[in-house]
Amino acid sequence: MRLLLVEDDDRVAAALVAVLGRHGFQVRHARSGHEALDALVPDGNEPFRVVLLDLGLPDRDGFEVCSRIRAGSGVPVIMVTARADIRSRIHGLNLGADDYVVKPYDMGELLARIHAVARRGSGPPAEAAAERSVGPLESRGVVIDRERRRVSVEGRDVPLTRKEFDLLALLAQSPGVVYRREQIFSEVWRSGWEGNGRTLEVHIGSLRTKLGLPGLVEAVRGVGYRLIPDEPGDPAPLGDPAGSGEAGR
């Protein structure tokens, strides 16, 4: 997912770019309102799915930047700012911001909010259509028929429980993208993560066993899980990352 970060503090931006990159985001950093608006002009590259907008910019106020973005684009905007007063929150949302996050924030919460607004947003037409579709997903020989809730591997039907299916379908929406444990629990179990870590590990293990593809779902230590994407010229799934341990340990 491509993301535009508008932040004038290089130190803050560098740390955020590093973390977002580890979670599968492609981040472009703009240091001013002018750079941000210029970055949003279509140039043939994949459009941004979300804008993270600081309000304290050197050349113009973030509120003005948000207004100008909203006038010409439907890209979701999350205001990320130290301005915690209620008038600023209301003003930002009235200008068209999709969310408002006050610094300092929890990184997990920010990631969850990015995914939430991206799902509601107007992403690239083909990608948005794919997300809205209930058609089959396919990755590394695994076909997920979301309409009939059936899974097959190389033509062999694999019976899964309801949660196993929902978990696999979620990860398969964006192969290669790391889904945080909190996000997975929120979307599959509709509950909080705390105290449920073992449940997720058990379901991941069961998926690997039933599919016969131990390396299809990779644990990212301390973060979450991702589906290994297809790689040209390497049709076999990667090996089990047993040496890395399960996420969260």
Side-chain angles (χ1 to χ4, degrees):
M1 182 190 303
R2 197 158 177 248
L3 185 150
L4 177 62
L5 170 64
V6 189
E7 170 61 64
D8 68 324
D9 188 321
D10 284 342
R11 188 180 61 174
V12 172
L16 197 49
V17 168
V19 174
L20 291 169
R22 289 200 295 273
H23 286 268
F25 293 96
Q26 300 173 33
V27 183
R28 176 168 174 178
H29 175 207
R31 295 175 176 79
S32 67
H34 176 77
E35 282 187 38
L37 295 172
D38 186 60
L40 288 168
V41 175
D43 58 0
N45 292 316
E46 177 188 343
F48 296 105
R49 296 288 305 279
V50 175
V51 175
L52 295 182
L53 176 62
D54 185 24
L55 295 181
L57 301 174
D59 57 344
R60 62 186 72 190
D61 191 85
F63 288 132
E64 179 191 348
V65 176
C66 180
S67 294
R68 296 188 61 172
I69 292 174
R70 193 50 69 236
S73 170
V75 62
V77 175
I78 301 177
M79 290 182 170
V80 184
T81 177
R83 301 180 195 175
D85 60 287
I86 191 64
R87 291 185 61 185
S88 293
R89 292 171 184 258
I90 294 172
H91 186 47
L93 295 171
N94 283 338
L95 286 174
D98 297 82
D99 204 346
Y100 193 104
V101 176
V102 176
K103 299 176 182 178
Y105 49 79
D106 177 83
M107 194 62 209
E109 181 184 358
L110 179 62
L111 289 166
R113 290 175 182 271
I114 291 172
H115 283 291
V117 300
R119 286 194 297 272
R120 301 195 301 264
S122 55
E127 191 171 345
E131 289 182 356
R132 289 194 299 270
S133 169
V134 293
L137 298 170
E138 183 170 2
S139 182
R140 304 187 74 85
V142 179
V143 177
I144 305 166
D145 186 337
R146 291 178 289 179
E147 194 167 13
R148 295 189 294 172
R149 295 184 65 84
R150 294 178 61 181
V151 173
S152 64
V153 178
E154 304 294 348
R156 171 180 60 89
D157 285 340
V158 179
L160 299 178
T161 67
R162 183 166 62 89
K163 292 301 183 189
E164 289 167 352
F165 180 91
D166 291 343
L167 174 57
L168 179 63
L170 174 66
L171 297 176
Q173 286 182 10
S174 301
V177 173
V178 179
Y179 285 79
R180 291 182 62 83
R181 297 160 301 177
E182 297 88 343
Q183 181 189 1
I184 293 172
F185 245 84
S186 173
E187 298 200 19
V188 176
W189 276 268
R190 305 293 179 186
S191 67
W193 156 257
E194 293 77 11
N196 291 311
R198 182 59 182 160
T199 299
L200 181 53
E201 288 185 13
V202 168
H203 279 74
I204 291 289
S206 180
L207 268 182
R208 290 167 172 162
T209 301
K210 289 184 176 181
L211 297 174
L213 299 170
L216 181 67
V217 179
E218 182 184 58
V220 179
R221 186 187 295 274
V223 181
Y225 294 90
R226 68 174 185 140
L227 198 77
I228 300 297
D230 290 313
E231 296 180 13
D234 182 22
L238 300 179
D240 186 3
S244 64
E246 294 289 349
R249 284 182 181 175

